[in-house]
Amino acid sequence: MTSQPRAFTVRGSVGLACAVACCVRPPPTSPLPTISGHPVQVDAARKLLPWTTAGRSRPTSSAAYARVVKLAWSTLESKFPAQDNGLPTWLTYSRFDPDTFEGIAWPHNPAGLYAMLTESAVLWYAFSGDSAAVAVTRTALDYQIVHGSTPADWDWARVPYASAGAGDVEYRGADDEWCDYCGRGDGIGVIEPDKVGELGFAYVQMYELTRETHYAEAAVACADALASHVRRGDEQRSPWPFRVYALTNVAREEYSSNVIGALMLFDELSRLSLGNVDSYARARAIALEWLMRVPMQNDAWSGYFEDVAIQPDPLANPSQYPALRTARWLIGHPDADPRWRAHVEHLLAWAARSFGGDTAVERGMQWGATVMSEQAADMTKMGSHTARFGATLALWAQATGDGPARERAARSLNWATYMCREDGIVAVGENTNEGWWFSDGYGDYIRHFLVAMGAEPEWAPAHENHIVRSTSVVTHVVYEPQRVAWSTFDADSTETLRLTSLPAKVLVDGVPLLPADFTPNQWFDVRALPSGGAVVRVRHRRPGGIAVALDEAG
């Protein structure tokens, strides 16, 4: 995402300690600073708290992340009207007016947006039981399949377009001459293979959530296209081009470091024995070897954003997006890289150094929070990217026990909350010239808070019950005052819950799971929290009929 620069006033400051502390306000004679319109809230050490702590006698970060996620989802589900083309704003526009909810002319980014939105919806449904979020995402994916896939007889067959013209009801790539001044866009008939991987994995997730086979078929088409076009790659050419004409397989831009979506797609289809798993294994090995050989060595983390002009030099426009996606994937797949700890540590440091520093007009450190820019072509400090950095740090802290990283994660996430208004409108950043985007404000923004609460369950609301993490897609969940019941796509799965009190019992198909029943494949454990409530993990071997009761009535 890029915008035209303009001068503006930054209302940030500098500052870093504990994510849960009493709020201290400046003296009455000192005007209260703001971040994106919210009065700044700080703790006793003058370190940033979420804006949602305002007015509370003992404010904490607990519930803040869930609150902004709920505000954002509620707005996306209900406030965007049909446009002149008869479709809701987010189906044909990437940007919107925050007052009228009308679309703004700029190339649409459907494949990337809908991939982000799917992850956010899958996590949010398990966390909240909000089926409306699933309905929004299902509408987006179904529309992409029908109105935004390449023809079956093209070289890249039945794969999604990453871009479209503003307001276009058929996605066919964005015309790079769509506006006189910018020259941006993929071009008509051009796809982005990295988005084929990302949206292909989203199709798998929706298949697992709904068991509707057309999503699995769409995912297999994406994986088949990627596997049949993979190449070894070098410092100038990645395993797949960043931009390629889908009809002819002629590359328009050769380099993208964003291969994680393809790896995730190959892995999941292979696990499910869907598609040509032998060809997926070969393509995966080629892409992973290149990832370790090239960008992991030279930090050429470029090639993601759809509206950036063609970059002949892979080092010209690096971005934290593919670097931090790679870090997150390595944390979750340590078996893929014997040096994953060193590599993740490097990626986090590189991202902070390259995009978390001061710019000419904004501080990189604000009240102890590292605040992130997007890419070299647009160094504005932004909420979704700051939240990504925070969530990745939280995962790292959980995996390694790194306490300072947990602290840094909380501060960055706290800063990101300030981008969300009380009415659920999410800004990209303090610079209003960046505008309001469905990707940065909703799809991408939402998921990082949910990932962070999965890594650190204490950050979920203390007064509510939630599934904060699952190793399988949660296909159905019911939240009752004293009971949480759910089912999962996979029989063998582990769920982590943040509960308001200690559980009275855990049931599998209605039968209490007792300590004597503990096996490596079926168990539960409980960790009481000093702040009240508990974190409970449940490992089961059946996909449905799992429940945690908080009292004997359950």
Side-chain angles (χ1 to χ4, degrees):
M1 186 196 77
T2 60
S3 68
Q4 295 181 353
R6 76 173 188 182
F8 63 98
T9 301
V10 178
R11 295 165 291 176
S13 185
V14 188
L16 201 165
C18 179
V20 180
C22 291
C23 181
V24 177
R25 296 181 175 82
T29 56
S30 176
L32 195 65
T34 63
I35 299 175
S36 197
H38 293 294
V40 168
Q41 306 297 316
V42 294
D43 63 16
R46 302 290 293 176
K47 304 304 172 69
L48 193 66
L49 292 170
W51 67 264
T52 56
T53 58
R56 300 184 184 182
S57 59
R58 291 188 59 82
T60 71
S61 295
S62 177
Y65 305 154
R67 182 177 177 188
V68 296
V69 169
K70 184 175 182 179
L71 287 172
W73 264 120
S74 296
T75 292
L76 192 63
E77 293 164 1
S78 63
K79 290 188 178 179
F80 291 94
Q83 301 292 290
D84 291 342
N85 58 23
L87 300 172
T89 319
W90 39 266
L91 269 184
T92 56
Y93 289 91
S94 60
R95 304 177 65 179
F96 64 93
D97 185 302
D99 298 315
T100 67
F101 304 102
E102 298 295 317
I104 291 177
W106 194 266
H108 190 25
N109 56 341
L113 168 61
Y114 301 162
M116 297 170 178
L117 200 64
T118 301
E119 181 180 19
S120 292
V122 167
L123 295 172
W124 176 240
Y125 176 71
F127 186 93
S128 68
D130 179 10
S131 59
V134 177
V136 165
T137 306
R138 184 199 297 262
T139 296
L141 295 184
D142 287 348
Y143 196 87
Q144 177 89 50
I145 291 171
V146 175
H147 298 279
S149 299
T150 59
D153 58 350
W154 283 21
D155 195 290
W156 285 79
R158 297 187 297 129
V159 298
Y161 284 99
S163 61
D168 286 355
V169 298
E170 300 292 327
Y171 309 153
R172 293 293 179 262
D175 185 351
D176 58 356
E177 300 298 331
W178 73 276
C179 66
D180 293 335
Y181 69 84
C182 64
R184 305 186 189 280
D186 292 334
I188 300 300
V190 177
I191 62 164
E192 296 180 8
D194 72 308
K195 308 308 185 301
V196 174
E198 289 194 350
L199 193 62
F201 181 71
Y203 288 148
V204 178
Q205 288 183 296
M206 188 57 71
Y207 163 67
E208 294 177 355
L209 182 61
T210 66
R211 294 189 180 270
E212 295 181 14
T213 57
H214 70 288
Y215 295 120
E217 292 165 359
V220 167
C222 291
D224 287 348
L226 289 165
S228 65
H229 289 94
V230 71
R231 58 194 188 185
R232 186 169 184 269
D234 52 35
E235 292 186 352
Q236 299 296 318
R237 300 165 73 248
S238 49
W240 301 277
F242 178 43
R243 292 180 167 111
V244 61
Y245 287 95
L247 174 61
T248 61
N249 192 36
V250 173
R252 190 166 194 218
E253 185 172 355
E254 291 284 9
Y255 187 92
S256 171
S257 60
N258 187 40
V259 300
I260 295 301
L263 298 182
M264 295 170 69
L265 173 61
F266 292 147
D267 282 350
E268 192 64 3
L269 289 178
S270 298
R271 188 181 74 85
L272 299 176
S273 298
L274 294 174
N276 188 341
V277 297
D278 290 338
S279 70
Y280 303 161
R282 172 182 172 273
R284 180 192 191 274
I286 291 172
L288 181 59
E289 187 275 335
W290 175 87
L291 180 70
M292 296 299 162
R293 173 168 49 90
V294 178
M296 194 66 75
Q297 302 305 316
N298 68 1
D299 287 326
W301 299 106
S302 61
Y304 175 77
F305 295 98
E306 301 90 343
D307 60 347
V308 173
I310 290 174
Q311 306 286 319
D313 180 1
L315 293 171
N317 185 34
S319 164
Q320 44 68 45
Y321 183 97
L324 291 179
R325 276 185 62 81
T326 299
R328 175 179 162 185
W329 186 80
L330 288 174
I331 293 169
H333 298 80
D335 56 324
D337 176 17
R339 300 189 61 219
W340 72 272
R341 283 177 177 260
H343 284 153
V344 172
E345 198 164 23
H346 167 77
L347 290 170
L348 289 168
W350 177 86
R353 182 174 64 252
S354 302
F355 300 99
D358 294 349
T359 69
V361 291
E362 288 180 290
R363 293 289 190 182
M365 186 68 72
Q366 300 183 21
W367 289 281
T370 302
V371 186
M372 298 292 286
S373 304
E374 179 181 77
Q375 57 181 317
D378 188 357
M379 290 293 287
T380 301
K381 301 301 182 182
M382 301 184 189
S384 64
H385 304 307
T386 301
R388 174 181 297 105
F389 181 69
T392 310
L393 278 173
L395 291 169
W396 169 256
Q398 184 206 31
T400 64
D402 186 337
R406 182 183 188 273
E407 157 67 15
R408 293 175 64 204
R411 300 305 177 187
S412 289
L413 290 159
N414 290 352
W415 189 92
T417 67
Y418 285 78
M419 298 306 107
C420 183
R421 300 189 329 203
E422 281 275 15
D423 60 1
I425 300 299
V426 183
V428 170
E430 283 208 88
N431 179 0
T432 56
N433 190 55
E434 290 295 329
W436 289 260
W437 294 67
F438 290 111
S439 52
D440 297 83
Y442 296 90
D444 192 37
Y445 180 80
I446 288 170
R447 58 181 174 170
H448 302 309
F449 293 105
L450 294 164
V451 167
M453 287 187 286
E456 297 289 346
E458 294 94 325
W459 293 348
H463 60 286
E464 298 171 356
N465 299 315
H466 294 285
I467 296 174
V468 296
R469 173 183 278 183
S470 176
T471 60
S472 177
V473 170
V474 174
T475 58
H476 183 70
V477 61
V478 176
Y479 287 99
E480 298 173 348
Q482 296 298 320
R483 184 174 181 268
V484 182
W486 70 93
S487 57
T488 57
F489 175 79
D490 294 302
D492 190 343
S493 180
T494 302
E495 282 70 64
T496 304
L497 296 88
R498 169 69 150 104
L499 301 176
T500 59
S501 63
L502 296 173
K505 54 188 174 183
V506 175
L507 304 101
V508 179
D509 284 343
V511 178
L513 183 61
L514 303 174
D517 300 325
F518 282 15
T519 71
N521 296 320
Q522 189 157 286
W523 47 262
F524 73 92
D525 61 26
V526 179
R527 175 165 61 92
L529 298 175
S531 58
V535 174
V536 177
R537 291 189 305 154
V538 180
R539 172 75 182 274
H540 56 88
R541 294 296 303 276
R542 296 174 182 171
I546 316 303
V548 172
L550 274 67
D551 62 15
E552 294 300 323

